[in-house]
């Protein structure tokens, strides 16, 4: 993390187009992430949110194996472990995932 004095920020925003573009692009990215999070909370069912989280982790780690506990997933989605365990069991019944003792495998 880098702390930049406010007076420098103002000066750089006025005088350096590349700095202004960087800052505005950063704000834009954060706003896009925020809107995505709000949209998923408002319009997606918990099963869809969990499946999206698993697929995002699959893409980030380039692996079908997800090494998270049910509790960790619950904390990421702001829900209880019991709810996540129930949804994971449903996804396993639908053959979307395979539950193992130490990991979750996405089919």
């Amino acid at each position: 993390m880098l702390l930049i004095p406010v007076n420098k920020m103002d000066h750089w925003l006025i005088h350096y187009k590349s700095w202004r573009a960087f800052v505005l692009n950063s704000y834009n990215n954060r706003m896009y992430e925020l809107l995505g999070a709000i949209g998923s909370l408002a319009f997606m069912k918990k099963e869809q949110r969990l499946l999206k989280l698993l697929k995002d982790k699959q893409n980030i780690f380039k692996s079908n194996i997800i090494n998270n506990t049910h509790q960790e997933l619950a904390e990421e989605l702001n829900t209880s472990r019991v709810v996540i365990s129930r949804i994971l069991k449903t996804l396993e019944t639908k053959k979307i995932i395979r539950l193992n003792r130490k990991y979750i495998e996405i089919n």
Side-chain angles (χ1 to χ4, degrees), residues 65 70 92 97-106:
I65 305 298
H70 295 194
E92 183 178 44
I97 63 167
R98 189 174 323 142
L99 294 173
N100 294 289
R101 183 148 174 84
K102 299 275 186 180
Y103 60 91
I104 299 166
E105 185 175 357
I106 301 174

Side-chain angles (χ1 to χ4, degrees), residues 82-106:
V82 174
V83 170
I84 294 301
S85 295
R86 199 173 301 140
I87 294 170
L88 287 171
K89 194 63 178 166
T90 301
L91 292 174
E92 183 178 44
T93 302
K94 294 178 180 178
K95 301 200 183 302
I96 296 171
I97 63 167
R98 189 174 323 142
L99 294 173
N100 294 289
R101 183 148 174 84
K102 299 275 186 180
Y103 60 91
I104 299 166
E105 185 175 357
I106 301 174

